[in-house]
Amino acid sequence: QVQLVDSGGGLVQAGGSLRLSCAASAITFNINRMAWYRQAPGKQREWVATRTRGGITVYADSVKGRFTISIDNAKNTVYLQMNILKPEDTGVYYCNTVYDGTEYWGQGTQVTVSS
């Protein structure tokens, strides 16, 4: 049973930074695609960033150059470093993976960016 636990959200002023964490159990990151999604109030969940099984990172245009997805295999943790935050980055952020044919989500962590 895969479990993903998201943390690190909070309230930050525009221009600030946050680092989100997703601690995982029962999987090995270096053989899994890991991703972050977010959901703003009243909007659908949207994809933010992916780290492929081969270690390639891909980002949504809205966060490219500001966000970085990374992995610490020793800690079984995936991170999302978010810099130069904007009010439109506000939302609940979710870690995501597909393992053995099943999709898994973290419980989400709230990020609020004030203007």
Side-chain angles (χ1 to χ4, degrees):
Q1 180 75 18
V2 175
Q3 288 187 322
L4 303 176
V5 180
D6 301 326
S7 62
L11 173 64
V12 63
Q13 288 188 330
S17 298
L18 282 174
R19 188 177 77 161
L20 307 183
S21 300
C22 170
S25 63
I27 60 175
T28 303
F29 285 136
N30 62 5
I31 62 171
N32 261 66
R33 173 199 63 78
M34 302 299 301
W36 285 96
Y37 287 73
R38 67 186 180 188
Q39 187 165 17
K43 295 187 177 181
Q44 288 189 331
R45 192 172 297 187
E46 65 174 0
W47 167 73
V48 174
T50 293
R51 182 190 182 276
T52 70
R53 293 171 62 179
I56 296 171
T57 55
V58 189
Y59 301 93
D61 288 344
S62 59
V63 306
K64 199 174 297 182
R66 300 187 298 121
F67 289 13
T68 302
I69 185 170
S70 63
I71 284 174
D72 185 332
N73 284 307
K75 296 182 178 180
N76 257 21
T77 300
V78 58
Y79 301 101
L80 186 67
Q81 177 67 44
M82 306 186 296
N83 299 326
I84 318 175
L85 281 161
K86 304 176 181 180
E88 51 264 43
D89 294 319
T90 293
V92 180
Y93 284 69
Y94 300 89
C95 178
N96 169 273
T97 192
V98 176
Y99 183 74
D100 200 21
T102 301
E103 187 170 34
Y104 294 91
W105 295 90
Q107 86 285 3
T109 184
Q110 176 71 45
V111 171
T112 303
V113 184
S114 62
S115 57

